Each structure stands twice: as C-alpha cells, then as structure tokens.
Amino acid sequence: MLRSLAPTWFVESIYDLDLDRLWQRGIRGIITDLDNTLIEWNGPEPDERLLEWTRRVRERGFKVCIVSNNGHLRVEAFARHLDVPFLSKAGKPRRRGLRAAMDILGTTPQTTALLGDQVFTDVLGGNRLGLTTILVRPIAKKEFLGTRMVRRVEGLVLAALRRRGMLDKP
Ligand SMILES: [Mg+2]
C-alpha cells in the first residue's frame, strides 16, 4: 500500500526538476497536474516564470500535457495560455485520463513522468500505471476544504515514507 503512494522523486517545486536527469531516464512526455503544482489553487493565469519554464521544457524536447481533476473552463483557459494540450475532470487517481494523456503525448508508461502535488490522486494514479512520479510541495496553503482534510492524512503518509527512506530526492 505504502509503495503505491511513494513518488519516484520528490522536489520542492517544478523549478527544481532536473530536466537532463529526466531525459537521461528516457522520459519524453510530462503529464502535469495544474492546481498547486503549476500555480496556486484556482490561480488565474500563468506568470512569466511559468511561461518561461514551459518553454524551456519543450525546447529540451519534452512534450507536455496538463491533466487536472478541476473543471473544463479553468483548465482550458490555463492550458491555452501555456499552449499545451489538456484533460479536465480527469478523475485521478483513475487511470483512464492518464492513459488518454499518454495517447496525446505519444508516450508509454516507461517514457512518461507525472508531476503533481497530491499523493492520493497524482502519485497513486501515476504509480498504478508504472509512470515516473514526481511529487512537488504544494504551492499555496489555501485550499478547497476537502483537500485540506486529505492533506492531513497525506502528511502521515509522507512521514511514513520518509522514515522508510522511500521519499527520494533526485
Ligand atoms: Mg494539485
């Protein structure tokens, strides 16, 4: 059980991600969560730093797709700003949306990394498909009430993973 919640890597933020290392691992496609991974929860628009990061990732050769459990309008508007494909209401940790994203990216579980800030949706979903999973620290503290409660349980899981040496930094 705990193993399916353990990310392959843990980084403070997307900006700490080692793109060369990801490339050397064989990763060619990045599925990324939106809220609290790329931007604070329900934050309106990508800032210049995020736009620049997205450009850099794509120039490095990665394909990017946003997969979010949030609603269509928000995800679409954001993805359009970044000029990347997206899936909304994806139902993570269910596998269907993640499989659909790999179809869009033209990648396989071996060549796909999943970026996200939540253990029970992002990491679990990605691990179920055998993706490289990268957990980031959530950007904002302000969150949807349901998520805040999940975070408490998540904190216990992360502490357990850390104790067992299963929360690796790249
Ligand atoms: Mg999130």
Side-chain angles (χ1 to χ4, degrees), residues 1-9 119 123-128 130-131 133 157 160-161 164-168:
M1 173 64 189
L2 209 49
R3 185 152 297 279
S4 63
L5 297 174
T8 313
W9 291 344
V119 166
V123 174
L124 178 58
N127 283 352
R128 290 174 76 194
L131 310 188
T133 50
V157 170
L161 289 173
R164 288 166 174 75
M166 290 164 73
L167 200 59
D168 292 332

Short mmCIF file of all heavy atoms in Angstrom, two decimals, residues 1-9 119 123-128 130-131 133 157 160-161 164-168:
data_model
loop_
_atom_site.label_atom_id
_atom_site.label_comp_id
_atom_site.label_asym_id
_atom_site.label_seq_id
_atom_site.Cartn_x
_atom_site.Cartn_y
_atom_site.Cartn_z
N MET A 1 0.83 -1.21 0.00
CA MET A 1 0.00 0.00 0.00
C MET A 1 0.87 1.26 0.00
O MET A 1 0.74 2.12 -0.86
CB MET A 1 -0.91 -0.01 1.24
CG MET A 1 -1.71 1.28 1.44
SD MET A 1 -2.91 1.58 0.11
CE MET A 1 -3.44 3.23 0.50
N LEU A 2 1.81 1.31 0.95
CA LEU A 2 2.67 2.49 1.05
C LEU A 2 3.50 2.66 -0.22
O LEU A 2 3.72 3.78 -0.69
CB LEU A 2 3.58 2.34 2.27
CG LEU A 2 4.03 3.64 2.95
CD1 LEU A 2 2.86 4.56 3.21
CD2 LEU A 2 4.76 3.32 4.25
N ARG A 3 3.91 1.57 -0.80
CA ARG A 3 4.74 1.64 -2.00
C ARG A 3 4.00 2.33 -3.15
O ARG A 3 4.59 3.08 -3.92
CB ARG A 3 5.17 0.23 -2.41
CG ARG A 3 6.13 0.19 -3.59
CD ARG A 3 7.03 -1.03 -3.55
NE ARG A 3 7.90 -1.05 -2.38
CZ ARG A 3 9.05 -0.37 -2.28
NH1 ARG A 3 9.45 0.40 -3.27
NH2 ARG A 3 9.78 -0.44 -1.19
N SER A 4 2.71 2.08 -3.25
CA SER A 4 1.94 2.69 -4.35
C SER A 4 1.75 4.19 -4.15
O SER A 4 1.32 4.90 -5.04
CB SER A 4 0.59 2.00 -4.49
OG SER A 4 -0.17 2.19 -3.32
N LEU A 5 2.08 4.67 -2.94
CA LEU A 5 1.96 6.11 -2.66
C LEU A 5 3.32 6.81 -2.69
O LEU A 5 3.40 8.02 -2.53
CB LEU A 5 1.32 6.31 -1.28
CG LEU A 5 -0.11 5.80 -1.11
CD1 LEU A 5 -0.56 5.94 0.33
CD2 LEU A 5 -1.07 6.53 -2.04
N ALA A 6 4.36 6.05 -2.89
CA ALA A 6 5.70 6.65 -2.87
C ALA A 6 6.07 7.20 -4.25
O ALA A 6 6.05 6.47 -5.24
CB ALA A 6 6.73 5.59 -2.46
N PRO A 7 6.38 8.50 -4.31
CA PRO A 7 6.80 9.05 -5.60
C PRO A 7 8.20 8.56 -5.96
O PRO A 7 9.00 8.23 -5.08
CB PRO A 7 6.82 10.56 -5.34
CG PRO A 7 7.09 10.69 -3.87
CD PRO A 7 6.44 9.49 -3.22
N THR A 8 8.48 8.53 -7.25
CA THR A 8 9.82 8.19 -7.69
C THR A 8 10.81 9.23 -7.17
O THR A 8 11.87 8.90 -6.67
CB THR A 8 9.88 8.16 -9.24
OG1 THR A 8 8.75 7.43 -9.73
CG2 THR A 8 11.16 7.51 -9.73
N TRP A 9 10.42 10.50 -7.31
CA TRP A 9 11.23 11.62 -6.83
C TRP A 9 10.36 12.60 -6.07
O TRP A 9 9.15 12.70 -6.31
CB TRP A 9 11.86 12.40 -7.99
CG TRP A 9 12.90 11.67 -8.75
CD1 TRP A 9 13.59 10.54 -8.37
CD2 TRP A 9 13.39 12.02 -10.05
NE1 TRP A 9 14.47 10.19 -9.36
CE2 TRP A 9 14.38 11.07 -10.40
CE3 TRP A 9 13.09 13.05 -10.95
CZ2 TRP A 9 15.06 11.11 -11.61
CZ3 TRP A 9 13.77 13.09 -12.15
CH2 TRP A 9 14.74 12.13 -12.47
N VAL A 119 -0.55 13.10 -3.12
CA VAL A 119 -0.19 11.69 -3.06
C VAL A 119 -1.35 10.79 -3.52
O VAL A 119 -1.14 9.85 -4.28
CB VAL A 119 0.22 11.32 -1.62
CG1 VAL A 119 0.28 9.82 -1.42
CG2 VAL A 119 1.58 11.93 -1.29
N VAL A 123 0.23 10.92 -7.43
CA VAL A 123 1.24 9.87 -7.28
C VAL A 123 0.61 8.48 -7.41
O VAL A 123 1.11 7.62 -8.15
CB VAL A 123 1.98 10.00 -5.93
CG1 VAL A 123 2.91 8.82 -5.71
CG2 VAL A 123 2.77 11.30 -5.87
N LEU A 124 -0.50 8.27 -6.73
CA LEU A 124 -1.15 6.96 -6.79
C LEU A 124 -1.56 6.62 -8.22
O LEU A 124 -1.30 5.52 -8.70
CB LEU A 124 -2.38 6.94 -5.86
CG LEU A 124 -3.19 5.64 -5.86
CD1 LEU A 124 -2.33 4.45 -5.45
CD2 LEU A 124 -4.40 5.77 -4.92
N GLY A 125 -2.17 7.60 -8.90
CA GLY A 125 -2.60 7.36 -10.29
C GLY A 125 -1.42 7.01 -11.19
O GLY A 125 -1.47 6.05 -11.96
N GLY A 126 -0.36 7.78 -11.07
CA GLY A 126 0.82 7.54 -11.89
C GLY A 126 1.48 6.20 -11.58
O GLY A 126 1.85 5.45 -12.48
N ASN A 127 1.58 5.90 -10.30
CA ASN A 127 2.22 4.63 -9.91
C ASN A 127 1.41 3.43 -10.39
O ASN A 127 1.98 2.38 -10.73
CB ASN A 127 2.38 4.58 -8.38
CG ASN A 127 3.54 5.41 -7.90
OD1 ASN A 127 4.33 5.92 -8.69
ND2 ASN A 127 3.64 5.57 -6.59
N ARG A 128 0.10 3.56 -10.40
CA ARG A 128 -0.73 2.44 -10.85
C ARG A 128 -0.43 2.07 -12.30
O ARG A 128 -0.63 0.95 -12.72
CB ARG A 128 -2.21 2.79 -10.69
CG ARG A 128 -2.65 2.86 -9.25
CD ARG A 128 -4.07 3.33 -9.14
NE ARG A 128 -5.01 2.27 -9.51
CZ ARG A 128 -6.29 2.47 -9.77
NH1 ARG A 128 -6.80 3.69 -9.73
NH2 ARG A 128 -7.08 1.47 -10.09
N GLY A 130 2.63 2.70 -13.61
CA GLY A 130 4.07 2.49 -13.76
C GLY A 130 4.81 3.69 -14.33
O GLY A 130 5.88 3.54 -14.92
N LEU A 131 4.26 4.88 -14.17
CA LEU A 131 4.95 6.08 -14.63
C LEU A 131 6.04 6.48 -13.63
O LEU A 131 6.03 6.04 -12.48
CB LEU A 131 3.98 7.26 -14.77
CG LEU A 131 2.67 7.08 -15.53
CD1 LEU A 131 1.99 8.44 -15.70
CD2 LEU A 131 2.90 6.45 -16.87
N THR A 133 6.92 9.05 -11.16
CA THR A 133 6.07 10.04 -10.48
C THR A 133 6.92 11.02 -9.69
O THR A 133 7.86 10.63 -9.00
CB THR A 133 5.06 9.36 -9.55
OG1 THR A 133 5.74 8.42 -8.71
CG2 THR A 133 3.99 8.62 -10.33
N VAL A 157 1.23 9.94 5.63
CA VAL A 157 1.82 9.04 4.63
C VAL A 157 3.24 9.49 4.30
O VAL A 157 4.17 8.68 4.25
CB VAL A 157 0.97 9.02 3.34
CG1 VAL A 157 1.70 8.29 2.22
CG2 VAL A 157 -0.39 8.37 3.61
N ALA A 160 5.63 8.62 6.99
CA ALA A 160 5.94 7.18 6.97
C ALA A 160 6.91 6.85 5.85
O ALA A 160 7.85 6.06 6.03
CB ALA A 160 4.64 6.38 6.81
N LEU A 161 6.71 7.45 4.69
CA LEU A 161 7.61 7.21 3.55
C LEU A 161 9.02 7.70 3.89
O LEU A 161 10.02 7.06 3.58
CB LEU A 161 7.10 7.93 2.30
CG LEU A 161 5.84 7.38 1.64
CD1 LEU A 161 5.37 8.31 0.52
CD2 LEU A 161 6.07 5.98 1.10
N ARG A 164 10.94 5.42 6.14
CA ARG A 164 11.41 4.20 5.46
C ARG A 164 12.40 4.49 4.35
O ARG A 164 12.78 3.61 3.60
CB ARG A 164 10.22 3.44 4.88
CG ARG A 164 9.36 2.78 5.94
CD ARG A 164 8.04 2.34 5.34
NE ARG A 164 7.23 1.58 6.28
CZ ARG A 164 6.56 2.14 7.31
NH1 ARG A 164 6.65 3.45 7.51
NH2 ARG A 164 5.85 1.40 8.11
N GLY A 165 12.76 5.77 4.21
CA GLY A 165 13.70 6.13 3.14
C GLY A 165 13.10 6.00 1.75
O GLY A 165 13.79 5.75 0.78
N MET A 166 11.77 6.14 1.67
CA MET A 166 11.10 5.97 0.38
C MET A 166 10.72 7.30 -0.26
O MET A 166 9.96 7.35 -1.23
CB MET A 166 9.83 5.12 0.56
CG MET A 166 10.15 3.66 0.85
SD MET A 166 8.72 2.74 1.50
CE MET A 166 7.72 2.59 0.03
N LEU A 167 11.21 8.39 0.29
CA LEU A 167 10.90 9.69 -0.30
C LEU A 167 12.22 10.29 -0.81
O LEU A 167 12.91 10.99 -0.10
CB LEU A 167 10.26 10.60 0.75
CG LEU A 167 9.45 11.78 0.23
CD1 LEU A 167 8.31 11.29 -0.65
CD2 LEU A 167 8.89 12.59 1.37
N ASP A 168 12.53 9.94 -2.03
CA ASP A 168 13.85 10.27 -2.56
C ASP A 168 13.87 11.59 -3.28
O ASP A 168 12.99 11.90 -4.05
CB ASP A 168 14.30 9.19 -3.54
CG ASP A 168 14.57 7.89 -2.82
OD1 ASP A 168 14.92 7.94 -1.64
OD2 ASP A 168 14.38 6.84 -3.45
#
